Amino acid sequence: MSASDSQRNVWLRYGIEPGQPLRVWLPAGCAVALVGVLFWHACHRNPNAAFLSRQSPADWIVYAAAPDLGIQVDGPRQTVFRRRFAIAQPPAEVRLTVRAMTQFAVAVNGVEVAASEPSGSWKDPQTTSISGDLLAPGENELVATVTCEHGPPALWLVLDLDSTTVLSGDGWDASLLGAETRPVRSAAAAMQFDKGGFLANAEQPLEAIGKTWPICLAFAILTATLTGVANRRWPSVAKSPEAAWRLATAAIAGAWLILLISNWRTLHFAMGYDSGLHLDYIEYVRRHGRLPLGNEGMEMWQPPLYYVSAAMLTSIAGASPRSESGIFILRVFSYVLSLGQLLFVAGCLRRVYPNRSMAQLIGICFAGCLPVQIYLMHYNSNDVLAGAVSTAAAYFAIRVIQERNGRLGDAVVLGACLGAAVLSKLSAWPVVLVVFFVLFWQLVVERNSIGQWNRRLLLPAAVCALVCGWYFVRNYLNFGQVLPPDQAAFKYWQDPGCTTVEQFVRFGRALCQPNLSSFAGLPDGVYATLWGDGGWGGRMLRDSRPPWNYELMAAGYLLALSPTLLIGAGGAAIAWQVARGWKPEKLLMLGVCAASFCGMSYFYLQHPSYGAVKAHYALPSIVSLCVFAAEGHLLLVRGIAWRRWALSALWGAWALTSLASYAVDGTSSTARAWVAREFAVQGDPEEALITIQHAISSDPHDPKLRLTAGRLLLHARRPEEARQELAIAVEADPQDAEAQCVLANVLGTLGYHEVESRLLRNALQIAPDNSGALTELATVHLAAGDGKAAVEAARAGLRVSPTSPLLHLLLAQGLAQLGDIEQALQHQQIALEWKQRRIREAVADPAVEREQQP
């Protein structure tokens, strides 16, 4: 037996087709290596990526500021890091190695010994030799001043002495822009919310399961029963793929429609991430009859297909995008797009799993009950269009892959869908690249003719270029670059502002505290926004988030572990199948999922903010998750009846809980308060007051309704009525810090300063990081002539909002009362500088100022 025959037998023994290493393994390995090099360069060499690479023995440290959900305008933030250390005898020479994001100066015992080089990269360590004469026996002080324009100042430092080594890490204190001094935080540690802050009394999955388990159990029993009845009573439906997928899609389409119609009675306002900015884009197209340039608005760098389509639909109906009828049209548009995506998902499943009704049903039900799909239908966003046309592209790509001599029209439609996907949102690029890569790969592996190359690759590429190429040419002619100028005129960032390797690998907060868990890192943020609206639709305040059923949603995060398991098992099974044999359609699904996750990771690397972690960025690749779920179900069931029933029960509990989570009860106090606030935001305070008064008459003991009424009355300049409502709210819920802060504000306007001060102190005991309460308290102390207390309150407020012009001004006034004129002038200058920066950004785009005042 020859060596080649022996090797062939080895491959066959493990079920691997001969030639797979060269046909699949080598190209896949090269693709992985290429992606790895790209990420390595961005992490370790690119100074524009705020990635803090780990290097022993020190740790990256930052000021332990409270999490801020608002926009952070670019500007020089300066953090002073201090560390005291003791030595017995000064060494002759000391080595100091520093890395800092981005500029630094280091002083030992008051003498500057090192500073950053303007021409160097902040990611490269800078080593300096220091004379031991600067040190003294006993205690010494090391001070590092770090300044950063775009992100939080971060420090990595090693001071190598003969007998000891001083490292950045525990034991350091810091102050950011004059805020109160406090121990530093490791940059790798997740930002933590205080007990009374944004997440006060937020829903937690374990507690939610304890409250909603009867509903979840009923859903599980109902699904298991229906599964058994369907298998016994309607075998033709269970065994007929055609009838099965049609029944499933019709049921889901009907459920979606009922949900949207029912919710419309309450949710007839613009909703979703950056919804106002998207509406500005649509309104711009309607008014000017042309596309904006990328630097004319915060979202106007986005590709235009969704906005042009929405502008055309609202113009035909004669409705403004911000009107109720305009919002209705956009909601219907999103429903139609989501339904189209569902149909193309069904088409992909029929192609990948022909004559496998169960696999098709599982995949379709997964797509129909996926929370990210459901809540995005209620939002005005280009993600829905990108998901629909990308899924259509995946369907036609599978057709082109499977039908080598298929219709020419499939290749043309494929190219058109790929071009439309690019014109919908740039997050569709991973799908486009993978489709072309798999088509190219198949043509090489199967050694097709020149005619096949022209029909199956060059023709779709040409059509795609014709559909979307003009957009990139336009960008190049206007900005000298093919990609749009990502918010080129607006310089800002959001927390956490920098990334470490831990933010890409750790997971767990989404299972115990899913709300805003994107602060913990990428996996938690993706899980929280895939299996629920963990980002609150982009709202910054808990009371202003969409009025979903958050108890059921929180329970759904734990129930979602079962479909997550199926997706993981199915993805692993498909990867093994692709490794063993040539299956280009499954390779496409695998590649689309991997490329989308890599794209999200790279985007998060370049824009390290909690708002950059959203699962709907991967909506164009949802079809691959549906295929993985179907494959996982087939793998785990394997024809065993009890497994089928058990998985059906778990699936049913999750699926029906997901749907029920987004059924809004318009009669609830939460929904009524939300509607009243939305009327106020839309500039209709009278309707807002009427709505909240009707809600209070139905439920007079609800403190949230009273708090909302108090806010609205205060905004309407009716302080005495506001005081009465807020007093009832505080009495009903003494642990509501926000109610006490608003009541204190009202009492201050009425002249009750002593009661105002007491309420503010009570609120800060509940929520120590409430910057509004700290600002009010500093104002009260200044009015009372207590400069020391005013300084303490202002510095504590700067811990939460370090660039607040008002807090810096209050601090300056307090310092002036204490006679520290030099520092008072410094903070007065800082207040003036940051006020000017905010004014400039607000003039460039008013949305920046709106985000600063949620």
Side-chain angles (χ1 to χ4, degrees), residues 327-600:
I327 298 300
F328 177 79
I329 292 169
L330 295 178
R331 198 74 52 83
V332 172
F333 185 37
S334 295
Y335 171 74
V336 172
L337 291 173
S338 299
L339 185 57
Q341 184 178 18
L342 181 67
L343 292 173
F344 281 115
V345 166
C348 292
L349 289 163
R350 293 180 66 201
R351 285 275 172 174
V352 177
Y353 299 103
N355 302 318
R356 303 292 296 272
S357 60
M358 184 55 66
Q360 295 176 22
L361 281 172
I362 291 298
I364 293 171
C365 291
F366 175 82
C369 299
L370 194 62
V372 67
Q373 188 83 52
I374 299 171
Y375 69 73
L376 275 183
M377 276 191 293
H378 293 80
Y379 298 163
N380 48 291
S381 171
N382 55 352
D383 291 284
V384 182
L385 178 60
V389 292
S390 297
T391 307
Y395 170 73
F396 284 102
I398 294 175
R399 286 177 64 108
V400 172
I401 287 171
Q402 292 181 341
E403 300 175 8
R404 301 180 184 179
N405 297 313
R407 293 178 299 176
L408 196 64
D410 288 344
V412 174
V413 175
L414 170 60
C417 289
L418 291 173
V422 174
L423 283 182
S424 299
K425 192 161 187 175
L426 293 178
S427 58
W429 260 116
V431 176
V432 176
L433 294 176
V434 169
V435 166
F436 282 125
F437 180 67
V438 173
L439 290 175
F440 171 81
W441 198 344
Q442 183 187 26
L443 289 167
V444 171
V445 168
E446 298 178 0
R447 300 179 182 180
N448 292 111
S449 64
I450 297 297
Q452 290 288 339
W453 279 79
N454 292 334
R455 173 193 292 265
R456 301 169 63 191
L457 181 63
L458 297 182
L459 180 59
V463 174
C464 177
L466 286 174
V467 172
C468 66
W470 63 269
Y471 172 68
F472 300 100
V473 173
R474 180 174 184 261
N475 288 327
Y476 184 80
L477 293 177
N478 284 284
F479 302 104
Q481 59 187 49
V482 294
L483 292 179
D486 184 355
Q487 304 170 0
F490 319 104
K491 303 299 183 182
Y492 66 89
W493 56 280
Q494 287 181 298
D495 280 338
C498 58
T499 55
T500 62
V501 67
E502 286 80 3
Q503 288 163 255
F504 291 90
V505 297
R506 69 172 162 229
F507 176 74
R509 181 180 287 190
L511 296 177
C512 57
Q513 183 55 269
N515 297 285
L516 303 178
S517 62
S518 53
F519 272 98
L522 186 68
D524 281 301
V526 170
Y527 190 93
T529 52
L530 178 67
W531 303 113
D533 194 4
W536 294 353
R539 294 299 180 93
M540 296 182 186
L541 300 178
R542 183 171 175 266
D543 290 343
S544 64
R545 62 185 181 175
W548 311 126
N549 188 329
Y550 286 94
E551 288 289 352
L552 278 177
M553 186 188 298
Y557 282 112
L558 291 181
L559 297 176
L561 289 173
S562 61
T564 302
L565 173 64
L566 289 187
I567 291 172
I574 288 179
W576 177 238
Q577 293 171 19
V578 169
R580 295 173 62 190
W582 179 242
K583 294 178 175 57
E585 66 278 359
K586 291 191 175 181
L587 176 64
L588 175 66
M589 295 294 99
L590 200 64
V592 162
C593 180
S596 290
F597 185 77
C598 288
M600 281 196 299

Side-chain angles (χ1 to χ4, degrees), residues 261-283:
I261 293 174
S262 175
N263 289 347
W264 177 252
R265 294 176 299 174
T266 303
L267 306 181
H268 49 269
F269 301 94
M271 297 173 60
Y273 298 90
D274 299 325
S275 59
L277 302 177
H278 292 299
L279 294 177
D280 289 342
Y281 197 157
I282 298 170
E283 187 63 35

Side-chain angles (χ1 to χ4, degrees), residues 47 180 211 213 235 299 352-353 561 633 637 684 710 714 722 762 849:
E180 67 177 5
K211 297 177 181 178
W213 69 265
E299 287 292 330
V352 177
Y353 299 103
L561 289 173
H633 187 274
V637 170
D684 193 349
L714 179 61
N762 290 340
E849 188 65 23

Side-chain angles (χ1 to χ4, degrees), residues 812 823-836:
Q823 282 199 51
L825 291 174
Q826 290 178 2
H827 284 281
Q828 190 173 26
Q829 181 62 33
I830 293 173
L832 178 62
E833 179 180 353
W834 282 103
K835 184 62 177 178
Q836 290 174 342

Side-chain angles (χ1 to χ4, degrees), residues 85 94-96 130 142 157-161 164-167:
F85 61 96
V94 179
R95 286 173 57 86
L96 174 67
I130 303 173
L142 180 63
L157 181 145
V158 176
L159 184 65
D160 191 7
L161 306 168
T164 186
T165 303
V166 179
L167 307 174

